[in-house]
Amino acid sequence: MNFQKNDVVVVEIEDIGNDGEGIGKADGFTLFVKDAVVGDTVEARIVKVRKNYAYARLEKVIKPSPFRVEAKCAYHRQCGGCQLQTLSYEKQLEFKEKKIRDSLIRIGGFEPEYVDAHMEPIVGMEEPFRYRNKAQYPVGTDKNDKVVTGFYAGRTHSIIANTDCWLGVEENQEILDCILEYMRENRISAYDEASGTGLVRHILIRKGFSSGEIMVCLVVNKRMAHVQHAGKRSGPDYLPKQKVLVEKLARIKGMTSVSVSINTEKTNVIMGKEIHTLWGRDTISDTIHVRDMTQPGYPFTGKGLTFCISPLSFYQVNPGQTEKLYSLALEYAGLTGKETVWDLYCGIGTISLFLAGSARKVYGVEIVPQAIADARENARRNGIENAEFFVGKAEEVLGDFYEGNDTEAKPDVIVVDPPRKGCDGACLEAMLRVRPERIVYVSCDPATLARDLRVLCDGGYAVERIRGTDMFGMTVHTETVVLMSRVKS
Ligand code: SAH
């Protein structure tokens, strides 16, 4: 049968696509239906036809799926940030496990029995909302020229007003409303992307979950002229009526740092490099604990590491699950205190410092110099002396070490946590040359994970344990930890 654009069809949704869309068949023709849930029978309108499949829009749910739940957020369809909000959380976890399994089979070429024999149950969240410690809200104007903040609609650049995203902390709303009120009362303009004019571009909010400390940073498009204040206080202002805003924000419970970031570039990059603290401290702190992942409820083992976070620092956005993810990586590393461990793609050294407590020596490698400066500072702050950090490409630093033949630094265990594109081919080659006993692979993309595991297995390693950890509930993002061990010496 030939479908055409705007045709309305009834379809039973049988599967979930990689981007969370529902997949069903009508007369043998595959339909991808955004916002439909697996198990639904829906009426869908075709929006784009391809040779063997078509994209369709959900018009009406005829028979709801038993896995369909009511969305918490009224804007979930327009926003697109939460692709899975109408799917029950148990089913979301199942979807992620299946995504990992399918990638390993299809892309990695592993036998289903082999994958099943090594896969452990995914680690979910206790509460899959309000888990993000960081929010970045764009500021703009609505149709009536009123200053608003919210989210970009779909893939556009128009802002839909909403100050309460369910993934963020409750305080976000109070802070955003406070800033909007200050802007409206003092006629402070919002940045306009098209013309590059207007002042306030974005609002960044971060919260240390364990400390309760909150940081607000306003990204502004202009450096104001130096304002000399009469009386005691003197110094530059970065915002008109800065004092009014600061006083409002300082009253909010937990407020620890208020700053501005100057970004005058016409770019999609949110933060500018220059940061000025207007009130309070320059950073907030957060502590993450090692947990015992072998016990029910994953109790703390008592140890905690404290990190300082500035507006520009990289820091995992879901601290609750980060503890579980790192603890799992630590457990998989199987350390006894004697090992030399390399942590490649180490960021600000969070995993490295977790490992350092149980290893002889840890070497961290990361490409961003500022992250390594933070890693060294974090080591110092936590009194960790057996971690050393290098700026550079993982593949080059590890390769150089091998050429140099430094036996002292020979890795017993290598941990990798690469970005979505996975490990560079040269990095995998370098790992196979130095031949650690164990490799722990932390991955945020099952497809590149599967590709890389295949290379490592062909190079003499075997998969021992695989476990998903849900870092991003309500979204399709899938995180996995894998333990591999050397089979050929
Ligand atoms: N393990 C850290 C960070 C993981 S994110 C954490 O859990 O916080 C991946 C990191 O890899 C980023 O910090 C990125 O800057 C870094 N990176 C990207 N390409 C790299 C490369 N070729 N070599 C080393 N680090 C790289």
Side-chain angles (χ1 to χ4, degrees):
M1 178 174 168
N2 258 341
F3 285 116
Q4 292 195 344
K5 191 173 166 171
N6 277 325
D7 282 354
V8 173
V9 286
V10 171
V11 53
E12 252 177 65
I13 304 298
E14 292 161 3
D15 206 353
I16 312 171
N18 271 337
D19 297 321
E21 72 280 22
I23 304 177
K25 280 208 163 80
D27 295 327
F29 199 75
T30 303
L31 293 179
F32 294 94
V33 190
K34 198 176 157 297
D35 301 313
V37 167
V38 63
D40 278 347
T41 303
V42 302
E43 208 174 85
R45 184 179 294 274
I46 310 265
V47 289
K48 204 189 272 174
V49 186
R50 292 280 183 263
K51 196 156 172 256
N52 301 313
Y53 59 91
Y55 296 99
R57 202 175 56 211
L58 174 66
E59 291 275 299
K60 197 163 93 192
V61 178
I62 298 172
K63 190 171 145 274
S65 159
F67 313 117
R68 180 176 268 281
V69 293
E70 203 166 317
K72 290 227 190 219
C73 171
Y75 303 102
H76 73 280
R77 283 183 73 170
Q78 285 154 287
C79 168
C82 291
Q83 305 87 355
L84 302 178
Q85 227 191 84
T86 50
L87 185 64
S88 73
Y89 188 57
E90 293 73 59
K91 204 71 187 168
Q92 289 183 25
L93 294 177
E94 206 179 284
F95 158 72
K96 292 183 188 193
E97 269 189 329
K98 185 166 175 290
K99 192 163 160 178
I100 298 166
R101 184 178 185 272
D102 288 353
S103 296
L104 292 172
I105 295 166
R106 277 198 230 135
I107 302 165
F110 294 97
E111 292 298 326
E113 298 74 26
Y114 183 80
V115 175
D116 294 341
H118 301 286
M119 193 113 165
E120 299 171 14
I122 188 165
V123 181
M125 291 179 220
E126 285 94 44
E127 174 48 70
F129 287 100
R130 304 256 180 243
Y131 60 80
R132 283 186 66 99
N133 59 7
K134 172 178 165 182
Q136 284 170 314
Y137 276 84
V139 181
T141 44
D142 68 5
K143 289 192 293 290
N144 308 317
D145 256 359
K146 190 172 157 198
V147 175
V148 291
T149 179
F151 57 90
Y152 292 118
R155 286 175 192 158
T156 73
H157 275 262
S158 57
I159 295 169
I160 293 181
N162 174 27
T163 52
D164 188 25
C165 167
W166 271 88
L167 300 192
V169 297
E170 274 167 6
E171 291 91 335
N172 288 345
Q173 186 162 31
E174 187 183 357
I175 294 165
L176 294 168
D177 287 343
C178 172
I179 296 172
L180 289 177
E181 189 185 84
Y182 149 81
M183 288 181 70
R184 287 169 190 158
E185 279 173 3
N186 297 287
R187 298 178 173 278
I188 289 159
S189 58
Y191 180 67
D192 173 54
E193 272 185 324
S195 63
T197 58
L199 188 63
V200 183
R201 300 172 67 128
H202 268 90
I203 300 162
L204 165 79
I205 306 170
R206 296 182 112 168
K207 180 175 178 186
F209 275 30
S210 66
S211 64
E213 294 172 357
I214 294 176
M215 157 181 286
V216 176
C217 180
L218 281 84
V219 185
V220 296
N221 180 36
K222 194 164 86 188
R223 187 188 318 282
M224 291 212 2
H226 188 91
V227 182
Q228 202 65 42
H229 291 276
K232 270 191 244 145
R233 206 175 70 92
S234 78
D237 271 10
Y238 293 94
L239 293 166
K241 302 259 175 75
Q242 183 171 301
K243 207 163 154 253
V244 176
L245 174 68
V246 166
E247 275 172 8
K248 272 181 197 279
L249 287 173
R251 280 199 289 268
I252 293 172
K253 188 166 170 276
M255 191 58 62
T256 304
S257 168
V258 179
S259 60
V260 291
S261 161
I262 296 169
N263 183 0
T264 56
E265 310 276 313
K266 264 196 149 187
T267 158
N268 280 340
V269 178
I270 296 178
M271 302 296 293
K273 291 194 183 72
E274 203 182 315
I275 309 279
H276 300 278
T277 302
L278 308 181
W279 179 87
R281 299 209 317 253
D282 297 341
T283 58
I284 55 168
S285 70
D286 194 28
T287 303
I288 45 182
H289 300 86
V290 180
R291 287 166 176 261
D292 183 350
M293 297 305 287
T294 62
Q295 300 293 321
Y298 318 123
F300 291 157
T301 61
K303 280 178 272 178
L305 292 169
T306 300
F307 299 96
C308 272
I309 310 157
S310 78
L312 296 178
S313 322
F314 175 85
Y315 190 64
Q316 292 276 353
V317 297
N318 182 341
Q321 289 300 100
T322 296
E323 287 186 338
K324 298 179 191 167
L325 180 74
Y326 290 176
S327 299
L328 212 51
L330 178 62
E331 185 196 320
Y332 279 16
L335 304 178
T336 64
K338 297 201 189 84
E339 295 80 2
T340 301
V341 186
W342 283 61
D343 178 20
L344 306 179
Y345 310 88
C346 72
I348 58 166
T350 32
I351 296 181
S352 320
L353 299 181
F354 254 62
L355 298 166
S358 311
R360 185 190 67 81
K361 176 90 191 204
V362 178
Y363 296 93
V365 185
E366 160 64 46
I367 205 165
V368 176
Q370 185 55 45
I372 288 295
D374 288 349
R376 290 182 180 137
E377 179 56 25
N378 285 328
R380 197 198 52 75
R381 181 173 297 117
N382 290 287
I384 292 171
E385 289 174 348
N386 60 337
E388 208 174 309
F389 294 97
F390 303 106
V391 179
K393 287 189 180 164
E395 50 274 22
E396 288 173 5
V397 177
L398 190 62
D400 287 355
F401 143 75
Y402 187 75
E403 304 297 327
N405 214 6
D406 177 354
T407 47
E408 185 59 6
K410 181 172 168 31
D412 299 303
V413 179
I414 294 181
V415 177
V416 294
D417 182 10
R420 294 184 72 170
K421 67 174 199 270
C423 290
D424 193 279
C427 180
L428 297 172
E429 262 172 48
M431 281 159 69
L432 290 175
R433 263 187 287 138
V434 300
R435 310 198 67 67
E437 253 171 67
R438 290 183 291 286
I439 297 172
V440 178
Y441 196 132
V442 181
S443 156
C444 55
D445 185 338
T448 56
L449 169 72
R451 179 200 68 196
D452 292 351
L453 291 190
R454 169 46 55 206
V455 175
L456 294 170
C457 279
D458 290 347
Y461 282 79
V463 171
E464 299 275 346
R465 302 174 71 178
I466 310 162
R467 192 160 192 185
T469 304
D470 190 24
M471 304 296 283
F472 310 102
M474 306 300 138
T475 82
V476 292
H477 299 295
T478 305
E479 190 91 12
T480 318
V481 189
V482 176
L483 168 64
M484 308 188 83
S485 64
R486 191 175 65 206
V487 283
K488 282 186 267 158
S489 45

